Amino acid sequence: MVGTIVNTCTIVIGSVLGSIVNRGVKEKYKKAIYTTLGLACLAIGLNATISHLPKSQYPVLFVVSLALGAALGTWIDIDARFHRLVDKYSKDGKDAQLSNGLSTAILLYCIGPLSMLGPVVSAINGDNTFLYTNATLDLVSSLIFASTYGIGMILAAPVLFCWQGAFYLIASISSTAISEALMDELLIVGGLMIVASGLSLLELKDCKTLNILPSLFIPIIWFGAKALVGM
């Protein structure tokens, strides 16, 4: 868990430093950063999806996952609940965009080969190289996010810790529980979710990305059911 702790700490440090910078950044520059973050999300998300799509053993699974997940998420209305919760505690309405920034940052920090494979490799081989590399990237990303959205971006740190901690725990219990095939499916779906966040940041389309979040559980359920039938 050392790698995950380091990764979490870098987000805290980056958020604190970024929030200090935030106080001196004019609104027009913040809008420019919104645009660059949106473009970065499109590039990162498309890369994750396109690079793993050829590896998929079930080419239609990501479509089914997105459809079922979005339907479930819309029924629960995760996006609206999350925005209301975050905006409720935003200071005097000054952090009106915090919920958008936080949801995007959480996806970028959590959905990626380094963040997902890192804790698995750490649990099985004791190698934290992936996590240390991811920590460096997240330090820069969190600084940029916090310089735009403020200190509230620090809330992404405990989410990352729980996310990577879950992968570490599962891999520690069973080294075969998280297969490469399952990881490919999660990265395909997760990549498209990051793309959706990018479209929202660019104000091209409000995809209500958090409503798509349950889509990540569909491949897990599918592979779990497949394993049970195989037994």
Side-chain angles (χ1 to χ4, degrees), residues 59-221:
V60 185
L61 181 57
F62 81 97
V63 179
V64 176
S65 298
L66 289 170
L68 293 178
L72 179 59
T74 301
W75 178 63
I76 300 173
D77 205 5
I78 300 173
D79 192 84
R81 291 174 185 271
F82 177 80
H83 279 68
R84 283 196 297 268
L85 178 64
V86 174
D87 294 343
K88 179 180 178 181
Y89 295 100
S90 296
K91 299 181 293 183
D92 303 321
K94 293 181 181 178
D95 300 326
Q97 296 296 322
L98 176 59
S99 53
N100 289 329
L102 197 54
S103 61
T104 301
I106 288 172
L107 288 174
L108 283 175
Y109 296 155
C110 296
I111 308 298
L114 293 175
S115 187
M116 293 165 67
L117 288 174
V120 175
V121 174
S122 177
I124 297 174
N125 301 327
D127 184 357
N128 290 307
T129 304
F130 282 2
L131 289 174
Y132 290 153
T133 303
N134 197 58
T136 304
L137 295 173
D138 287 349
L139 175 63
V140 177
S141 300
S142 59
L143 197 155
I144 295 173
F145 272 110
S147 69
T148 308
Y149 297 102
I151 190 62
M153 296 304 299
I154 202 171
L155 295 174
V159 177
L160 175 86
F161 181 81
C162 293
W163 172 260
Q164 290 188 357
F167 275 91
Y168 184 92
L169 181 61
I170 293 172
S172 297
I173 295 173
S174 174
S175 60
T176 60
I178 305 176
S179 65
E180 186 176 341
L182 172 57
M183 199 70 72
D184 286 333
E185 300 299 335
L186 291 175
L187 288 169
I188 292 170
V189 174
L192 289 174
M193 290 176 63
I194 294 175
V195 170
S197 288
L199 293 175
S200 296
L201 283 176
L202 292 171
E203 298 183 353
L204 296 176
K205 171 70 177 179
D206 183 5
C207 298
K208 300 188 182 302
T209 311
L210 292 181
N211 282 347
I212 313 174
L213 195 59
S215 300
L216 288 171
F217 294 99
I218 306 301
I220 296 174
I221 294 172

Side-chain angles (χ1 to χ4, degrees), residues 22-92:
N22 173 266
R23 299 167 189 170
V25 179
K26 294 181 179 180
E27 192 62 31
K28 64 178 181 179
Y29 296 115
K30 289 183 180 181
K31 289 183 178 179
I33 296 175
Y34 291 155
T35 301
T36 56
L37 287 175
L39 292 172
C41 285
L42 291 181
I44 293 170
L46 287 173
N47 178 65
T49 298
I50 294 173
S51 61
H52 290 87
L53 196 55
K55 303 176 185 177
S56 175
Q57 296 179 5
Y58 310 96
V60 185
L61 181 57
F62 81 97
V63 179
V64 176
S65 298
L66 289 170
L68 293 178
L72 179 59
T74 301
W75 178 63
I76 300 173
D77 205 5
I78 300 173
D79 192 84
R81 291 174 185 271
F82 177 80
H83 279 68
R84 283 196 297 268
L85 178 64
V86 174
D87 294 343
K88 179 180 178 181
Y89 295 100
S90 296
K91 299 181 293 183
D92 303 321

